[in-house]
Amino acid sequence: MLLHRLILSTVNRSSQSKFVRLIATSSVQIEFKDGLANITVPLPSRGESCVFQLKPFNTTIGDFIDVLQKEDRGIDRASVYLSDGSRLSRNSPVELIFEEPSTLRVNETSYNVQPPTLFTSSKPSRDVLSDVSNSITKLYYDLRLNQYVTYRERELEKQLEYLRDTVQPMNEIHNQLANKAIRRLKWIQWSILAGMAFQTGVLFRLVWIDYSWDIMEPFTYFISYSTVFMAYCYYVLRRNDMKYMNMSDYFYLKILHRLLRKKNFDIARYNALKNEIMIVEHDLQRLKDPLDRIIGTP
């Protein structure tokens, strides 16, 4: 029991002495300016205070200590302790010292680190959000964004009206030729259907009336093989499966472009105008949407 008491007294004395060594003799000031954290730290070798600018995020305690040692070569070791006495590792984020009081120990000297009021506000979350909203509203009107939005909206409407008037004659020609291309495509589809029906009737007569299946079987094989061969050739040339919708779109565009070239239609200019109209309509929609105006979209 006596040995146990001696061990406990020794441990208590060591912990008390460690706590005494961590008692701060001065303080470290932290303030935010232009989005950066200005940390004022007394340097032991020079006997003066130095301001260090750090990014409040994506910076570690190790980065802060490296900056201190680089500025003052007399700093052999430095560490940061929380209020409960636990030591922060070098990989810990530096914003931890902004959230609660801590102690910066440089060599054998300790300094109190008080977090800035920005991170230690005692207001409820609802009041903080209200203050932020009021600040954003004031900034919005100070920058005259409402006037700019109105001016920009008028400019976009004028630009959109001009583009629509410019592309209107081209739209009429394009729609006429597009309807003509659709009629030709339907004629081709019905012609293929008629040819397949005629082929079926001819094969039916040759197999069951004029000749027998033994004679016509090689012909049917080559007809089926030719169909597969044509489908593979279509895939090699177009890099697309031989499906009904794909083939319809291909022949429709081919017929339409042929008709447009005959009319000397400027396809490049028409596509450029349509793209500009789409961009202007998208920007105008963003300006008219209040939620999109506040949050913003890429």
Side-chain angles (χ1 to χ4, degrees):
M1 293 294 293
L2 180 60
L3 179 61
H4 182 65
R5 291 180 179 179
L6 289 174
I7 294 174
L8 287 177
S9 62
T10 304
V11 171
N12 293 332
R13 289 175 184 174
S14 61
S15 61
Q16 290 175 0
S17 62
K18 183 177 180 181
F19 178 76
V20 170
R21 286 198 299 268
L22 289 179
I23 294 178
T25 59
S26 183
S27 62
V28 174
Q29 298 179 359
I30 302 177
E31 61 178 1
F32 281 86
K33 185 177 181 180
D34 298 332
L36 297 175
N38 295 333
I39 306 177
T40 305
V41 181
L43 299 179
S45 299
R46 302 179 183 179
E48 60 182 7
S49 299
C50 183
V51 179
F52 299 91
Q53 278 193 345
L54 296 177
K55 295 180 179 179
F57 306 103
N58 299 328
T59 305
T60 62
I61 297 294
D63 298 333
F64 176 49
I65 294 175
D66 292 340
V67 172
L68 288 176
Q69 293 178 341
K70 185 177 181 180
E71 182 66 26
D72 190 347
R73 299 296 182 180
I75 299 178
D76 296 331
R77 58 187 180 277
S79 55
V80 179
Y81 295 86
L82 296 177
S83 57
D84 59 356
S86 57
R87 179 178 175 273
L88 293 178
S89 65
R90 291 180 59 90
N91 294 328
S92 300
V94 76
E95 56 260 28
L96 291 178
I97 65 176
F98 304 151
E99 299 174 355
E100 59 177 301
S102 57
T103 302
L104 173 64
R105 186 177 181 184
V106 179
N107 293 339
E108 298 299 330
T109 307
S110 300
Y111 305 98
N112 277 331
V113 181
Q114 293 296 330
T117 56
L118 178 65
F119 288 82
T120 58
S121 177
S122 59
K123 292 183 178 181
S125 300
R126 184 173 181 179
D127 295 339
V128 173
L129 291 177
S130 178
D131 294 341
V132 172
S133 300
N134 294 333
S135 300
I136 293 175
T137 304
K138 185 177 182 301
L139 181 63
Y140 182 85
Y141 284 101
D142 288 343
L143 296 177
R144 297 183 178 180
L145 293 180
N146 196 17
Q147 297 179 6
Y148 171 75
V149 168
T150 305
Y151 168 76
R152 183 59 179 166
E153 185 176 346
R154 292 176 181 175
E155 290 293 325
L156 290 176
E157 288 178 352
K158 291 180 181 179
Q159 184 179 359
L160 182 60
E161 184 179 358
Y162 170 75
L163 291 174
R164 287 177 175 174
D165 293 339
T166 304
V167 82
Q168 181 61 29
M170 304 180 73
N171 267 334
E172 295 178 357
I173 299 175
H174 184 273
N175 292 335
Q176 293 177 1
L177 297 179
N179 294 331
K180 190 174 182 180
I182 291 175
R183 289 195 298 269
R184 289 193 180 183
L185 178 62
K186 290 183 178 181
W187 183 85
I188 293 174
Q189 292 174 345
W190 283 104
S191 299
I192 293 175
L193 180 61
M196 295 176 65
F198 177 76
Q199 176 183 327
T200 303
V202 170
L203 291 177
F204 179 84
R205 178 179 177 84
L206 293 176
V207 171
W208 276 281
I209 298 177
D210 295 339
Y211 303 104
S212 63
W213 172 250
D214 296 335
I215 298 175
M216 294 304 301
E217 183 179 6
F219 293 95
T220 57
Y221 168 77
F222 280 107
I223 291 173
S224 302
Y225 179 78
S226 299
T227 304
V228 176
F229 179 74
M230 291 174 60
Y232 184 72
C233 290
Y234 177 85
Y235 170 77
V236 172
L237 296 175
R238 300 295 306 166
R239 294 298 177 184
N240 203 353
D241 294 335
M242 191 175 178
K243 298 179 180 179
Y244 296 126
M245 293 302 299
N246 295 338
M247 293 182 63
S248 297
D249 295 338
Y250 167 70
F251 284 110
Y252 166 74
L253 293 176
K254 191 172 182 179
I255 296 170
L256 178 61
H257 280 256
R258 184 180 299 173
L259 295 174
L260 293 174
R261 284 194 296 269
K262 288 183 178 180
K263 292 289 185 177
N264 295 325
F265 189 85
D266 194 349
I267 302 176
R269 175 172 171 76
Y270 178 76
N271 291 332
L273 290 174
K274 297 293 285 187
N275 290 332
E276 290 183 10
I277 290 175
M278 182 179 63
I279 294 173
V280 172
E281 288 179 346
H282 177 68
D283 293 341
L284 192 59
Q285 182 180 3
R286 287 182 56 189
L287 285 177
K288 292 182 178 180
D289 188 358
L291 181 62
D292 215 5
R293 188 187 305 174
I294 295 174
I295 300 177
T297 56

